[in-house]
Amino acid sequence: MSKGAISFFQTVQDNFDKAAALTDLPKGLLAQIKACNAVYQMRFPVKIGNGYQVIEAYRVQHSQHRQPTKGGIRYSDMVDQEEVMALASLMTFKCAIVDVPFGGAKGGIKINPRNYTEDELQRITRRYTVELIKKGFIGPSVDVPAPDYGTGSREMAWILDTYQTFSKGEIDSAGCVTGKPVNQNGIRGRTEATGRGVFYGIREAMDVPEDMKAIGLEPGIAGKRIVVQGFGNVGSYSAQISQFEGRALVVGVAEYDGTIYNPDGIDIDALVKHKNETGSITKFPGAKMLEDKNDWVGLDCDILIPAALENQITGENAKKVKAKIIAEAANGPITAEGEKILLEKGCMILPDVYLNAGGVTVSYFEWLKNLSHMRFGRMEKRFNQNTYSNIVETVERLTEKSISPHERKMITRGADEIDLVRSGLEETMINAYHSIRDVKERRSKCNDLRTAAFINALDKVANDYISLGVFP
Ligand code: NAD
């Protein structure tokens, strides 16, 4: 970020203020909603190599208007208190937008996971969890972490195991963390959930003809050219699902060590395989490497998906953007200066606070599954299957016509857990998009989707505080 540029935390605060000014909520209530309620900054020693290293880490609970609080844990050497506070605030608004009944939280450990062995990462994760337990910053009814940048289901399993070691037979202890492996009380569809939500969000926005006309695009995601920055969890699934289910063309992928481009489309499955085998997207045979990896921002495309970190599209590079839609899969990828330029150019920005909420939505489903101690679909799948079979047989008998075994299988199938998770996520992303869009259309002086999303969230959080009797 250039000198004098506005920080990520300040940008989140400014976005809040911009939306707050368009509501008629009392000042005291707005101040409470804006504040981070609890910030836990910790330092702890961990044996690394032959010596010890003091690790810097954080957990921030932004708002307890609903409990538990919820938010991912990030491993990055850029972690600091302000970054975690910004991310925790976004979580409060994100949960409100998708009607997930949690307050916002976030955690961060200031390490580059690439510099540590698996054993060392396990020691760091377990020690961090113990710190959270000691201070009452984790638990199924208190605060529930999840994966974020640099973490995944492996780290969540370590957190679960550490928590359960100390929780002495607590019946709902599996709900202390989400994003766990499926065989460790996780849920099918959580790993891909954020990327899948990104796809649903883009598809929904592109299905509104008048909005597409306003930015000079034909409606529909099919055939549109996509460039993704960051090919980790969120970026790779956003690309893969947009390509296979949306029939979009992914023409560019940027990573920290290089950017690849193919105007005819990149085979995303093959790229995932290549990255898993070589550890990098570079040297992928199905695309050419850009000389300057930072040129991803100006690649010719319709949709740009920043899916790495904050502050990637800035006052310096935003003018190079050719895409009409910027889909914020990452948190805070556009700086305030960058956003001004993009809006002046007439771009549509699908804001992080809505677009990447698929992760927390499916985390909510996982938490519910942990509390109910039962897989979704277990009770009704066979009942539905038998009912549909009876209907098909009755229709066949009455019409004296029969359908093929393939058609019968399709029509009579009962829903599995993965079907229900995807259906719940799709429903959530579609409804939330239209709630935000409605605010933008109806609220005077609200001209962009980010401000609309914040207004939508503020109204809901304020309503909770008012019903709690905290504010008159
Ligand atoms: P990840 O660690 O799985 O992937 C991030 C990828 O970005 C990595 O492959 C990394 O090498 C790459 N990257 C880092 N710096 C880069 C750079 N300068 N240029 C190009 N690529 C770069 O992380 P993730 O979970 O996919 O998270 C990505 C973003 O999405 C973060 O902002 C995170 O907060 C947000 N997010 C994640 C989730 C989730 O469920 N994991 C949910 C909501 C939001």
Side-chain angles (χ1 to χ4, degrees):
M1 211 167 58
S2 64
K3 213 166 160 244
I6 302 166
S7 74
F8 176 34
F9 179 63
Q10 189 57 48
T11 302
V12 173
Q13 301 259 303
D14 289 350
N15 289 333
F16 178 99
D17 290 340
K18 188 174 167 192
L22 300 182
T23 68
D24 50 13
L25 296 167
K27 278 205 170 63
L29 176 52
L30 286 168
Q32 171 58 57
I33 299 173
K34 190 176 174 184
C36 278
N37 288 0
V39 179
Y40 178 22
Q41 183 192 113
M42 62 202 103
R43 301 276 195 282
F44 49 81
V46 177
K47 191 161 189 300
I48 304 292
N50 294 325
Y52 278 86
Q53 192 178 323
V54 178
I55 304 287
E56 176 182 336
Y58 302 86
R59 184 74 185 169
V60 173
Q61 296 170 348
H62 172 257
S63 175
Q64 274 101 350
H65 68 288
R66 295 228 171 173
Q67 292 190 61
T69 50
K70 185 104 191 64
I73 298 180
R74 170 175 290 202
Y75 289 1
S76 148
D77 45 17
M78 281 157 61
V79 161
D80 61 24
Q81 185 171 315
E82 279 211 339
E83 183 192 60
V84 186
M85 286 168 72
L87 291 163
S89 314
L90 283 180
M91 282 307 296
T92 292
F93 308 127
K94 203 175 288 186
C95 290
I97 288 166
V98 288
D99 291 326
V100 162
F102 297 137
K106 204 80 182 191
I109 304 186
K110 194 179 179 66
I111 52 165
N112 180 347
R114 288 193 188 92
N115 298 341
Y116 296 85
T117 65
E118 187 169 341
D119 269 0
E120 290 166 349
L121 286 172
Q122 178 164 180
R123 282 202 289 278
I124 293 169
T125 307
R126 287 182 181 275
R127 179 60 198 256
Y128 174 72
T129 311
V130 171
E131 294 296 322
L132 297 179
I133 295 168
K134 281 200 288 190
K135 288 280 189 294
F137 266 66
I138 184 170
S141 59
V142 183
D143 189 357
V144 182
D148 191 69
Y149 184 91
T151 60
S153 57
R154 179 185 66 172
E155 285 74 14
M156 302 308 116
W158 293 334
I159 292 174
L160 172 70
D161 187 55
T162 310
Y163 183 83
Q164 288 185 324
T165 306
F166 289 90
S167 64
K168 298 197 185 82
E170 189 187 326
I171 187 91
D172 292 328
S173 59
C176 73
V177 62
T178 58
K180 303 177 290 289
V182 174
N183 64 359
Q184 289 292 330
N185 292 288
I187 194 167
R188 287 161 188 83
R190 173 60 183 89
T191 309
E192 64 177 59
T194 308
R196 177 168 285 282
V198 168
F199 162 65
Y200 289 143
I202 298 173
R203 189 192 64 185
E204 203 51 33
M206 297 196 78
D207 278 347
V208 182
E210 59 268 37
D211 292 355
M212 290 304 103
K213 196 171 170 205
I215 58 170
L217 281 180
E218 288 295 317
I221 188 174
K224 299 297 186 310
R225 296 159 310 149
I226 293 181
V227 169
V228 184
Q229 185 217 20
F231 202 64
N233 173 293
V234 178
S236 63
Y237 281 112
S238 301
Q240 204 169 33
I241 297 169
S242 298
Q243 187 170 76
F244 291 105
E245 295 185 27
R247 287 179 290 117
L249 208 61
V250 180
V251 294
V253 177
E255 256 293 330
Y256 74 100
D257 55 350
T259 297
I260 58 170
Y261 183 67
N262 181 349
D264 299 324
I266 295 168
D267 180 341
I268 294 298
D269 268 355
L271 183 61
V272 169
K273 197 162 168 271
H274 175 82
K275 191 184 170 210
N276 289 342
E277 282 166 7
T278 67
S280 171
I281 63 161
T282 60
K283 303 197 181 113
F284 177 63
K288 71 170 183 140
M289 286 274 293
L290 296 196
E291 269 175 34
D292 182 350
K293 66 178 181 164
N294 297 319
D295 283 348
W296 65 273
V297 83
L299 283 173
D300 199 12
C301 65
D302 304 301
I303 307 160
L304 193 56
I305 308 184
L309 280 170
E310 56 265 22
N311 300 333
Q312 299 301 305
I313 305 179
T314 65
E316 273 144 44
N317 65 10
K319 47 192 164 308
K320 294 186 190 160
V321 169
K322 295 200 181 74
K324 298 280 174 57
I325 297 177
I326 324 311
E328 291 189 324
N331 283 306
I334 307 176
T335 66
E337 298 85 352
E339 175 144 321
K340 191 163 173 284
I341 295 170
L342 294 174
L343 291 176
E344 278 166 11
K345 278 159 79 102
C347 294
M348 170 189 254
I349 298 174
L350 295 171
D352 49 5
V353 76
Y354 157 67
L355 196 69
N356 67 33
V360 75
T361 302
V362 177
S363 275
Y364 170 47
F365 301 157
E366 180 177 331
W367 180 77
L368 291 174
K369 176 185 179 182
N370 295 153
L371 299 195
S372 73
H373 300 262
M374 191 160 58
R375 164 174 63 82
F376 288 107
R378 179 171 169 179
M379 298 295 276
E380 63 273 38
K381 179 181 166 178
R382 296 287 158 183
F383 177 80
N384 288 340
Q385 215 156 292
N386 292 338
T387 307
Y388 303 148
S389 291
N390 289 339
I391 295 170
V392 168
E393 277 157 28
T394 307
V395 173
E396 281 181 330
R397 188 167 39 78
L398 292 175
T399 60
E400 294 181 358
K401 285 184 181 151
S402 58
I403 59 172
S404 71
H406 175 69
E407 285 168 329
R408 177 183 296 269
K409 205 171 161 196
M410 291 228 322
I411 296 170
T412 60
R413 202 166 76 86
D416 272 320
E417 182 172 83
I418 186 74
D419 304 307
L420 295 168
V421 164
R422 286 181 182 167
S423 154
L425 175 59
E426 187 172 11
E427 166 77 359
T428 303
M429 294 305 291
I430 291 174
N431 287 347
Y433 181 71
H434 290 287
S435 309
I436 296 169
R437 189 178 174 276
D438 280 357
V439 173
K440 179 174 166 284
E441 295 299 297
R442 291 197 194 143
R443 197 75 68 111
S444 67
K445 296 190 190 153
C446 176
N447 302 318
D448 63 280
L449 287 167
R450 190 187 314 281
T451 309
F454 268 80
I455 292 175
N456 178 273
L458 283 180
D459 282 341
K460 290 179 184 170
V461 178
N463 213 15
D464 277 354
Y465 271 115
I466 291 165
S467 17
L468 283 171
V470 181
F471 285 87

